[in-house]
Amino acid sequence: MTSTAERRSPAIIEAARRTLERPLASYQLVLGSTALLLGLGLIMVLSASSVYALRSYGNSFAIVERQLIFAVLGVIGAVIAARIPLRVLRKLIMPFLLGTVALIGATFFIGVDVNGNRNWLALPGGFQVQPSEFAKLAVVLWIADLYARRQKYLGTPRYVLTPMVPVAGAVAALVVGQHDLGTALVLFALIGGMLWVAGLPAKQMSAVIAGIFVVLVFFVATAPHRVARLLNFTDPLADPDNAGFQSIHSSMALARGGFWGVGLGGSRQKWGSLPEAHTDFILSVIGEELGLLGTFVVLVLFIVLAFAGIRIASRTDDPFVRYTAAGITIWIMSQAVINIGMVLGLLPVIGIPLPLISYGGSSLLVTLVAMGVLINCAKTEPGARRALAAGRANRARGRVSRRS
């Protein structure tokens, strides 16, 4: 006899298939997952930063208020990026890349040191901006435009490698010069990922990966604190008061949260035991307060976002859209994987935020703009623009009928 659950499974699968066949499926997946991650991020930044903000600024809402300002600016930027014609966007790529490189260069002369990294520029009102965050989007768009223009020549390895690897590698080197190995690691992952998307043969791909590995080993070996973190991450208890401190307290937070969590606002680690609780280790606070269920929701939302990005890249006929969607997906997912692996103790501790969740105005702003670009790319899918136009027409008719 067939059970009720067995009868429902094909119906659920069929409903999901029909939903994904809609022209605006990718558009809605990107929009929905981004909105949910942003909303959850603002709530958790408030919770994770409240104690630190009260001690540092005398106001429990001081940090989340700053994050909210950048969230509003990011949403505005996302709306603009989602509506700007792609041909106009492509004309702005080179000025954007050059401006970003200039700002990164400025940090070497007038930059502000934060936790040993000289990668910030001071702004009026006590705000700071991190130019290296903007480099991620600038590099993605520049590579996408380059490969789109060279589409017919990408079967030849030298057209795939040059000038992409020297230019993108130089931007990553500038970021490494700021002692920001986390952001540089994301840029290196982006370079490798885009070479793979462009179809670089395995022999050349192996050489590039080996070169990136050698560069990373060199920069880790020249910094004693990075060497200590690399050697300690397999056994944090070997140095519990220094290199292993964050990993140990991150694990304590996740263990205390269990499956259901201790409740929103109930974290103990955010009281000072876990450094960077509202930035790099915010997932630990999520795990403590919302439990395994809360962390699972975060993981699912990132998986949905990755699925949507891959779907956009595979369904479009526009080479620029294909490489842009693939690049943004590689960037966001590689950064998320590195952060999650760090929090879970699977990777060494590297200062890198969880996209759309962690506190960090520059990171949030540029990530939201990138999501706007991805939504713009989703409009190029078959039937998407017609569906959007039909939806606007239906809403307009609804407003007219209500007035009458």
Side-chain angles (χ1 to χ4, degrees), residues 117 132 313:
N117 295 343
S132 58

Side-chain angles (χ1 to χ4, degrees), residues 17 280 317:
R17 187 186 64 80
D280 301 341
D317 295 325

Side-chain angles (χ1 to χ4, degrees), residues 38-50 52-54 57 59-72 127 278 282 357 359-361 364:
L38 176 61
L40 178 62
L42 290 172
I43 293 171
M44 293 312 304
V45 166
L46 170 60
S47 177
S49 68
S50 57
Y52 174 79
L54 183 62
Y57 305 102
N59 177 9
S60 296
F61 300 95
I63 289 178
V64 75
E65 286 172 354
R66 294 189 176 195
Q67 186 78 340
L68 186 58
I69 291 173
F70 280 99
V72 171
F127 291 93
H278 59 293
I282 196 168
I357 301 286
Y359 171 74
L364 180 62

